[in-house]
Amino acid sequence: MTTKRICILVSGGGTNLQRIIDAVLSGEIPEAEIIKVIADRPCFATTRAENHGIEVAQLKRGKNFQQQLLDAIPPDTDFMVLAGFLSILNEEICTRFKGRIINIHPALLPKFGGAGMWGAHVHKAVIEAGETYSGATVHYVTPGIDEGEIILQEAVAISEGETPDSLAKKIHEIEYRIFPKAIKKALAQLQEK
Ligand code: GRF
């Protein structure tokens, strides 16, 4: 398999980004090379990228954001990974990279996805709904928020007295397990096209 050049989009602490960097460096994902990390705001994830000598672009939200993003994506990018990226990609980007963008969502899609369902809002909604399970989902990105085909998901039971914080911690552990596997799976599908 030829190595795929991937860009990772981030907005936060970047623990999933770190997991992916580590997986690429350790040979767990030998089919990927991280060529750039793009952030839509100042965040610690960019420091993690810089610590590994990965090129970083930090964009400004608001006017022209989608154009800034398009300009920041290197033309030879094969694949994009949204790892805690909070901005919505417009239709042009989704179409240009159809089947080549994936996202991780901290719930069991198709439940608890869509506009406003991010971070602690998701965990709060899951607990308030009285769900007995939540989890994480890696899926393809399409113009409909959190609606693309599911690549991998894993569930975890919700405990008595669970809080959004404690649930977020459990789900992060799942994310670190399934994200590298999902990237490998999506890259293999890309190769078959
Ligand atoms: C993860 O829970 C992910 O599912 C969500 O944002 C969080 C990012 O965490 N989309 P981190 O920045 O990777 O630590």
mmCIF file of all heavy atoms in Angstrom, residues 10-19 43 45 48 82-86 103-107 117-119 122-123 135-137 146 168 171-172 175-176 179, ligand 1:
data_model
loop_
_atom_site.group_PDB
_atom_site.id
_atom_site.type_symbol
_atom_site.label_atom_id
_atom_site.label_comp_id
_atom_site.label_asym_id
_atom_site.label_seq_id
_atom_site.Cartn_x
_atom_site.Cartn_y
_atom_site.Cartn_z
ATOM 1 N N VAL A 10 -8.247 20.041 14.013
ATOM 2 C CA VAL A 10 -8.416 20.022 15.469
ATOM 3 C C VAL A 10 -8.973 21.350 15.995
ATOM 4 O O VAL A 10 -8.840 22.388 15.338
ATOM 5 C CB VAL A 10 -7.046 19.773 16.168
ATOM 6 C CG1 VAL A 10 -6.523 18.371 15.897
ATOM 7 C CG2 VAL A 10 -6.013 20.822 15.739
ATOM 8 N N SER A 11 -9.532 21.275 17.216
ATOM 9 C CA SER A 11 -9.983 22.505 17.898
ATOM 10 C C SER A 11 -9.643 22.498 19.374
ATOM 11 O O SER A 11 -9.892 23.491 20.062
ATOM 12 C CB SER A 11 -11.519 22.647 17.805
ATOM 13 O OG SER A 11 -11.976 22.657 16.489
ATOM 14 N N GLY A 12 -9.179 21.373 19.922
ATOM 15 C CA GLY A 12 -9.096 21.289 21.383
ATOM 16 C C GLY A 12 -7.774 20.787 21.926
ATOM 17 O O GLY A 12 -6.699 21.091 21.392
ATOM 18 N N GLY A 13 -7.880 19.975 22.970
ATOM 19 C CA GLY A 13 -6.682 19.494 23.658
ATOM 20 C C GLY A 13 -5.834 18.550 22.820
ATOM 21 O O GLY A 13 -4.636 18.402 23.076
ATOM 22 N N GLY A 14 -6.467 17.894 21.891
ATOM 23 C CA GLY A 14 -5.695 17.088 20.939
ATOM 24 C C GLY A 14 -5.211 15.740 21.455
ATOM 25 O O GLY A 14 -4.216 15.217 20.952
ATOM 26 N N THR A 15 -5.944 15.155 22.403
ATOM 27 C CA THR A 15 -5.474 13.834 22.857
ATOM 28 C C THR A 15 -5.671 12.784 21.764
ATOM 29 O O THR A 15 -4.870 11.861 21.639
ATOM 30 C CB THR A 15 -6.159 13.388 24.174
ATOM 31 O OG1 THR A 15 -7.564 13.302 23.984
ATOM 32 C CG2 THR A 15 -5.854 14.342 25.309
ATOM 33 N N ASN A 16 -6.721 12.926 20.980
ATOM 34 C CA ASN A 16 -6.891 11.999 19.848
ATOM 35 C C ASN A 16 -5.818 12.235 18.790
ATOM 36 O O ASN A 16 -5.305 11.288 18.195
ATOM 37 C CB ASN A 16 -8.290 12.134 19.232
ATOM 38 C CG ASN A 16 -9.329 11.363 20.026
ATOM 39 O OD1 ASN A 16 -9.360 10.130 19.995
ATOM 40 N ND2 ASN A 16 -10.165 12.085 20.756
ATOM 41 N N LEU A 17 -5.484 13.504 18.562
ATOM 42 C CA LEU A 17 -4.389 13.803 17.633
ATOM 43 C C LEU A 17 -3.122 13.105 18.107
ATOM 44 O O LEU A 17 -2.408 12.459 17.321
ATOM 45 C CB LEU A 17 -4.157 15.317 17.557
ATOM 46 C CG LEU A 17 -2.855 15.730 16.856
ATOM 47 C CD1 LEU A 17 -2.915 15.424 15.365
ATOM 48 C CD2 LEU A 17 -2.554 17.211 17.082
ATOM 49 N N GLN A 18 -2.834 13.227 19.414
ATOM 50 C CA GLN A 18 -1.625 12.594 19.967
ATOM 51 C C GLN A 18 -1.649 11.086 19.743
ATOM 52 O O GLN A 18 -0.645 10.484 19.370
ATOM 53 C CB GLN A 18 -1.538 12.891 21.472
ATOM 54 C CG GLN A 18 -0.226 12.465 22.101
ATOM 55 C CD GLN A 18 0.943 13.292 21.569
ATOM 56 O OE1 GLN A 18 0.916 14.506 21.652
ATOM 57 N NE2 GLN A 18 1.952 12.643 20.998
ATOM 58 N N ARG A 19 -2.805 10.493 19.943
ATOM 59 C CA ARG A 19 -2.953 9.045 19.748
ATOM 60 C C ARG A 19 -2.625 8.676 18.289
ATOM 61 O O ARG A 19 -1.963 7.668 18.027
ATOM 62 C CB ARG A 19 -4.393 8.635 20.115
ATOM 63 C CG ARG A 19 -4.725 7.182 19.866
ATOM 64 C CD ARG A 19 -4.002 6.250 20.815
ATOM 65 N NE ARG A 19 -4.371 4.864 20.531
ATOM 66 C CZ ARG A 19 -3.639 4.022 19.799
ATOM 67 N NH1 ARG A 19 -2.494 4.400 19.279
ATOM 68 N NH2 ARG A 19 -4.058 2.790 19.587
ATOM 69 N N CYS A 43 -5.346 26.353 20.297
ATOM 70 C CA CYS A 43 -5.641 25.173 21.121
ATOM 71 C C CYS A 43 -4.351 24.382 21.355
ATOM 72 O O CYS A 43 -3.383 24.509 20.600
ATOM 73 C CB CYS A 43 -6.693 24.285 20.455
ATOM 74 S SG CYS A 43 -6.258 23.664 18.836
ATOM 75 N N ALA A 45 -3.731 21.352 20.888
ATOM 76 C CA ALA A 45 -3.438 20.358 19.852
ATOM 77 C C ALA A 45 -2.311 20.829 18.924
ATOM 78 O O ALA A 45 -1.483 20.016 18.481
ATOM 79 C CB ALA A 45 -4.701 20.061 19.049
ATOM 80 N N ARG A 48 1.027 20.061 20.384
ATOM 81 C CA ARG A 48 1.352 18.630 20.221
ATOM 82 C C ARG A 48 1.936 18.384 18.830
ATOM 83 O O ARG A 48 2.922 17.660 18.679
ATOM 84 C CB ARG A 48 0.090 17.780 20.396
ATOM 85 C CG ARG A 48 -0.483 17.793 21.796
ATOM 86 C CD ARG A 48 -1.697 16.882 21.821
ATOM 87 N NE ARG A 48 -2.441 16.972 23.057
ATOM 88 C CZ ARG A 48 -2.201 16.230 24.143
ATOM 89 N NH1 ARG A 48 -1.230 15.354 24.150
ATOM 90 N NH2 ARG A 48 -2.945 16.363 25.215
ATOM 91 N N LEU A 82 -10.870 14.493 11.095
ATOM 92 C CA LEU A 82 -11.364 15.490 12.050
ATOM 93 C C LEU A 82 -11.245 14.873 13.442
ATOM 94 O O LEU A 82 -11.937 13.906 13.769
ATOM 95 C CB LEU A 82 -12.828 15.841 11.747
ATOM 96 C CG LEU A 82 -13.104 16.901 10.674
ATOM 97 C CD1 LEU A 82 -12.323 16.674 9.398
ATOM 98 C CD2 LEU A 82 -14.585 16.991 10.372
ATOM 99 N N ALA A 83 -10.333 15.427 14.244
ATOM 100 C CA ALA A 83 -10.058 14.852 15.564
ATOM 101 C C ALA A 83 -10.410 15.893 16.625
ATOM 102 O O ALA A 83 -9.536 16.581 17.148
ATOM 103 C CB ALA A 83 -8.593 14.435 15.661
ATOM 104 N N GLY A 84 -11.713 16.034 16.886
ATOM 105 C CA GLY A 84 -12.150 17.059 17.830
ATOM 106 C C GLY A 84 -12.187 18.413 17.148
ATOM 107 O O GLY A 84 -11.809 19.419 17.743
ATOM 108 N N PHE A 85 -12.656 18.445 15.888
ATOM 109 C CA PHE A 85 -12.738 19.690 15.111
ATOM 110 C C PHE A 85 -14.165 20.198 15.209
ATOM 111 O O PHE A 85 -15.110 19.477 14.886
ATOM 112 C CB PHE A 85 -12.370 19.409 13.655
ATOM 113 C CG PHE A 85 -12.250 20.636 12.791
ATOM 114 C CD1 PHE A 85 -11.272 21.591 13.052
ATOM 115 C CD2 PHE A 85 -13.085 20.827 11.700
ATOM 116 C CE1 PHE A 85 -11.135 22.720 12.253
ATOM 117 C CE2 PHE A 85 -12.962 21.943 10.885
ATOM 118 C CZ PHE A 85 -11.975 22.891 11.164
ATOM 119 N N LEU A 86 -14.339 21.442 15.678
ATOM 120 C CA LEU A 86 -15.683 21.924 16.003
ATOM 121 C C LEU A 86 -16.345 22.734 14.897
ATOM 122 O O LEU A 86 -17.531 23.047 15.002
ATOM 123 C CB LEU A 86 -15.633 22.741 17.306
ATOM 124 C CG LEU A 86 -15.267 21.926 18.548
ATOM 125 C CD1 LEU A 86 -15.155 22.833 19.766
ATOM 126 C CD2 LEU A 86 -16.295 20.828 18.795
ATOM 127 N N ASN A 103 -14.588 11.601 10.750
ATOM 128 C CA ASN A 103 -14.743 12.366 11.993
ATOM 129 C C ASN A 103 -14.973 11.393 13.150
ATOM 130 O O ASN A 103 -15.500 10.298 12.948
ATOM 131 C CB ASN A 103 -15.963 13.283 11.864
ATOM 132 C CG ASN A 103 -16.263 14.059 13.130
ATOM 133 O OD1 ASN A 103 -15.366 14.678 13.726
ATOM 134 N ND2 ASN A 103 -17.507 14.041 13.569
ATOM 135 N N ILE A 104 -14.588 11.809 14.354
ATOM 136 C CA ILE A 104 -14.919 11.013 15.536
ATOM 137 C C ILE A 104 -15.960 11.772 16.342
ATOM 138 O O ILE A 104 -15.842 12.993 16.549
ATOM 139 C CB ILE A 104 -13.667 10.657 16.368
ATOM 140 C CG1 ILE A 104 -14.033 9.604 17.423
ATOM 141 C CG2 ILE A 104 -13.021 11.891 17.012
ATOM 142 C CD1 ILE A 104 -12.866 8.741 17.845
ATOM 143 N N HIS A 105 -16.990 11.042 16.769
ATOM 144 C CA HIS A 105 -18.087 11.669 17.526
ATOM 145 C C HIS A 105 -18.265 10.916 18.844
ATOM 146 O O HIS A 105 -18.304 9.680 18.846
ATOM 147 C CB HIS A 105 -19.374 11.614 16.686
ATOM 148 C CG HIS A 105 -20.527 12.291 17.346
ATOM 149 N ND1 HIS A 105 -20.660 13.672 17.345
ATOM 150 C CD2 HIS A 105 -21.569 11.808 18.062
ATOM 151 C CE1 HIS A 105 -21.758 13.993 18.029
ATOM 152 N NE2 HIS A 105 -22.324 12.879 18.474
ATOM 153 N N PRO A 106 -18.415 11.648 19.956
ATOM 154 C CA PRO A 106 -18.446 10.978 21.266
ATOM 155 C C PRO A 106 -19.820 10.459 21.679
ATOM 156 O O PRO A 106 -20.284 10.738 22.787
ATOM 157 C CB PRO A 106 -17.945 12.076 22.207
ATOM 158 C CG PRO A 106 -18.449 13.333 21.584
ATOM 159 C CD PRO A 106 -18.425 13.112 20.097
ATOM 160 N N ALA A 107 -20.476 9.719 20.811
ATOM 161 C CA ALA A 107 -21.765 9.072 21.132
ATOM 162 C C ALA A 107 -22.005 7.975 20.103
ATOM 163 O O ALA A 107 -21.236 7.840 19.143
ATOM 164 C CB ALA A 107 -22.901 10.086 21.099
ATOM 165 N N MET A 117 -24.664 19.156 19.070
ATOM 166 C CA MET A 117 -24.245 17.953 19.796
ATOM 167 C C MET A 117 -22.724 17.810 19.726
ATOM 168 O O MET A 117 -22.191 17.144 18.827
ATOM 169 C CB MET A 117 -24.919 16.704 19.199
ATOM 170 C CG MET A 117 -26.335 16.538 19.657
ATOM 171 S SD MET A 117 -26.382 16.139 21.420
ATOM 172 C CE MET A 117 -28.019 16.659 21.814
ATOM 173 N N TRP A 118 -22.054 18.478 20.638
ATOM 174 C CA TRP A 118 -20.599 18.374 20.704
ATOM 175 C C TRP A 118 -20.169 18.484 22.166
ATOM 176 O O TRP A 118 -20.901 19.027 23.007
ATOM 177 C CB TRP A 118 -19.918 19.453 19.846
ATOM 178 C CG TRP A 118 -20.320 20.849 20.190
ATOM 179 C CD1 TRP A 118 -21.408 21.522 19.707
ATOM 180 C CD2 TRP A 118 -19.675 21.734 21.119
ATOM 181 N NE1 TRP A 118 -21.484 22.780 20.278
ATOM 182 C CE2 TRP A 118 -20.423 22.936 21.154
ATOM 183 C CE3 TRP A 118 -18.536 21.635 21.930
ATOM 184 C CZ2 TRP A 118 -20.070 24.021 21.950
ATOM 185 C CZ3 TRP A 118 -18.188 22.720 22.728
ATOM 186 C CH2 TRP A 118 -18.949 23.893 22.721
ATOM 187 N N GLY A 119 -19.029 17.918 22.450
ATOM 188 C CA GLY A 119 -18.447 17.992 23.789
ATOM 189 C C GLY A 119 -19.427 17.573 24.884
ATOM 190 O O GLY A 119 -20.188 16.615 24.738
ATOM 191 N N VAL A 122 -23.218 16.631 24.426
ATOM 192 C CA VAL A 122 -23.598 15.269 24.023
ATOM 193 C C VAL A 122 -23.786 14.411 25.273
ATOM 194 O O VAL A 122 -24.810 13.753 25.441
ATOM 195 C CB VAL A 122 -22.499 14.625 23.139
ATOM 196 C CG1 VAL A 122 -22.913 13.221 22.705
ATOM 197 C CG2 VAL A 122 -22.178 15.487 21.943
ATOM 198 N N HIS A 123 -22.795 14.432 26.156
ATOM 199 C CA HIS A 123 -22.835 13.558 27.332
ATOM 200 C C HIS A 123 -24.014 13.921 28.250
ATOM 201 O O HIS A 123 -24.668 13.058 28.805
ATOM 202 C CB HIS A 123 -21.505 13.630 28.086
ATOM 203 C CG HIS A 123 -20.331 13.379 27.195
ATOM 204 N ND1 HIS A 123 -20.273 12.296 26.355
ATOM 205 C CD2 HIS A 123 -19.191 14.089 26.969
ATOM 206 C CE1 HIS A 123 -19.148 12.340 25.666
ATOM 207 N NE2 HIS A 123 -18.474 13.424 26.014
ATOM 208 N N GLY A 135 -21.047 5.819 23.825
ATOM 209 C CA GLY A 135 -19.867 5.266 23.169
ATOM 210 C C GLY A 135 -19.258 6.269 22.219
ATOM 211 O O GLY A 135 -19.458 7.483 22.369
ATOM 212 N N ALA A 136 -18.514 5.769 21.252
ATOM 213 C CA ALA A 136 -17.876 6.645 20.268
ATOM 214 C C ALA A 136 -18.092 6.052 18.884
ATOM 215 O O ALA A 136 -18.202 4.832 18.734
ATOM 216 C CB ALA A 136 -16.385 6.775 20.556
ATOM 217 N N THR A 137 -18.131 6.953 17.901
ATOM 218 C CA THR A 137 -18.368 6.548 16.510
ATOM 219 C C THR A 137 -17.368 7.259 15.607
ATOM 220 O O THR A 137 -17.179 8.459 15.730
ATOM 221 C CB THR A 137 -19.794 6.977 16.065
ATOM 222 O OG1 THR A 137 -20.758 6.436 16.968
ATOM 223 C CG2 THR A 137 -20.094 6.522 14.648
ATOM 224 N N ASP A 146 -22.872 14.814 11.104
ATOM 225 C CA ASP A 146 -22.827 13.497 11.775
ATOM 226 C C ASP A 146 -23.676 12.436 11.071
ATOM 227 O O ASP A 146 -24.117 11.478 11.698
ATOM 228 C CB ASP A 146 -23.276 13.604 13.258
ATOM 229 C CG ASP A 146 -22.356 14.498 14.087
ATOM 230 O OD1 ASP A 146 -21.150 14.519 13.798
ATOM 231 O OD2 ASP A 146 -22.843 15.176 15.001
ATOM 232 N N ALA A 168 -17.285 11.425 29.637
ATOM 233 C CA ALA A 168 -16.318 11.894 28.636
ATOM 234 C C ALA A 168 -14.999 11.127 28.766
ATOM 235 O O ALA A 168 -14.390 10.749 27.751
ATOM 236 C CB ALA A 168 -16.071 13.398 28.807
ATOM 237 N N ILE A 171 -15.355 7.641 27.391
ATOM 238 C CA ILE A 171 -15.484 7.652 25.925
ATOM 239 C C ILE A 171 -14.144 7.968 25.257
ATOM 240 O O ILE A 171 -13.808 7.414 24.214
ATOM 241 C CB ILE A 171 -16.632 8.596 25.499
ATOM 242 C CG1 ILE A 171 -17.952 7.923 25.902
ATOM 243 C CG2 ILE A 171 -16.598 8.893 24.004
ATOM 244 C CD1 ILE A 171 -19.200 8.717 25.644
ATOM 245 N N HIS A 172 -13.359 8.843 25.888
ATOM 246 C CA HIS A 172 -12.026 9.103 25.334
ATOM 247 C C HIS A 172 -11.225 7.797 25.229
ATOM 248 O O HIS A 172 -10.530 7.574 24.238
ATOM 249 C CB HIS A 172 -11.265 10.120 26.205
ATOM 250 C CG HIS A 172 -11.327 11.517 25.652
ATOM 251 N ND1 HIS A 172 -12.003 12.543 26.257
ATOM 252 C CD2 HIS A 172 -10.794 12.042 24.531
ATOM 253 C CE1 HIS A 172 -11.879 13.643 25.535
ATOM 254 N NE2 HIS A 172 -11.147 13.381 24.494
ATOM 255 N N GLU A 175 -12.271 6.042 22.258
ATOM 256 C CA GLU A 175 -11.800 6.744 21.055
ATOM 257 C C GLU A 175 -10.358 6.365 20.723
ATOM 258 O O GLU A 175 -10.022 6.131 19.571
ATOM 259 C CB GLU A 175 -11.938 8.253 21.249
ATOM 260 C CG GLU A 175 -13.390 8.678 21.318
ATOM 261 C CD GLU A 175 -13.598 10.177 21.451
ATOM 262 O OE1 GLU A 175 -12.687 10.885 21.929
ATOM 263 O OE2 GLU A 175 -14.685 10.631 21.088
ATOM 264 N N TYR A 176 -9.514 6.300 21.768
ATOM 265 C CA TYR A 176 -8.103 5.977 21.519
ATOM 266 C C TYR A 176 -7.960 4.569 20.941
ATOM 267 O O TYR A 176 -7.020 4.289 20.213
ATOM 268 C CB TYR A 176 -7.270 6.091 22.809
ATOM 269 C CG TYR A 176 -7.390 7.432 23.509
ATOM 270 C CD1 TYR A 176 -7.269 7.539 24.894
ATOM 271 C CD2 TYR A 176 -7.630 8.597 22.783
ATOM 272 C CE1 TYR A 176 -7.399 8.761 25.541
ATOM 273 C CE2 TYR A 176 -7.766 9.814 23.431
ATOM 274 C CZ TYR A 176 -7.653 9.895 24.803
ATOM 275 O OH TYR A 176 -7.793 11.103 25.432
ATOM 276 N N PHE A 179 -10.044 4.809 17.003
ATOM 277 C CA PHE A 179 -9.674 5.792 15.962
ATOM 278 C C PHE A 179 -8.584 5.252 15.020
ATOM 279 O O PHE A 179 -8.770 5.271 13.792
ATOM 280 C CB PHE A 179 -9.257 7.109 16.619
ATOM 281 C CG PHE A 179 -9.670 8.357 15.869
ATOM 282 C CD1 PHE A 179 -9.452 9.621 16.418
ATOM 283 C CD2 PHE A 179 -10.257 8.282 14.614
ATOM 284 C CE1 PHE A 179 -9.826 10.790 15.739
ATOM 285 C CE2 PHE A 179 -10.636 9.433 13.920
ATOM 286 C CZ PHE A 179 -10.417 10.691 14.490
HETATM 287 C C1 GRF B 1 -13.462 13.882 21.448
HETATM 288 O O1 GRF B 1 -14.267 13.399 22.474
HETATM 289 C C2 GRF B 1 -14.158 13.764 20.121
HETATM 290 O O2 GRF B 1 -15.081 12.725 20.057
HETATM 291 C C3 GRF B 1 -14.900 15.063 20.012
HETATM 292 O O3 GRF B 1 -14.056 16.012 20.605
HETATM 293 C C4 GRF B 1 -13.217 15.387 21.563
HETATM 294 C C5 GRF B 1 -11.802 15.783 21.244
HETATM 295 O O4 GRF B 1 -10.912 15.491 22.292
HETATM 296 N N1 GRF B 1 -15.271 15.310 18.640
HETATM 297 P P1 GRF B 1 -9.356 15.697 22.083
HETATM 298 O O5 GRF B 1 -9.135 17.131 21.641
HETATM 299 O O6 GRF B 1 -8.900 14.726 21.055
HETATM 300 O O7 GRF B 1 -8.752 15.423 23.414
#
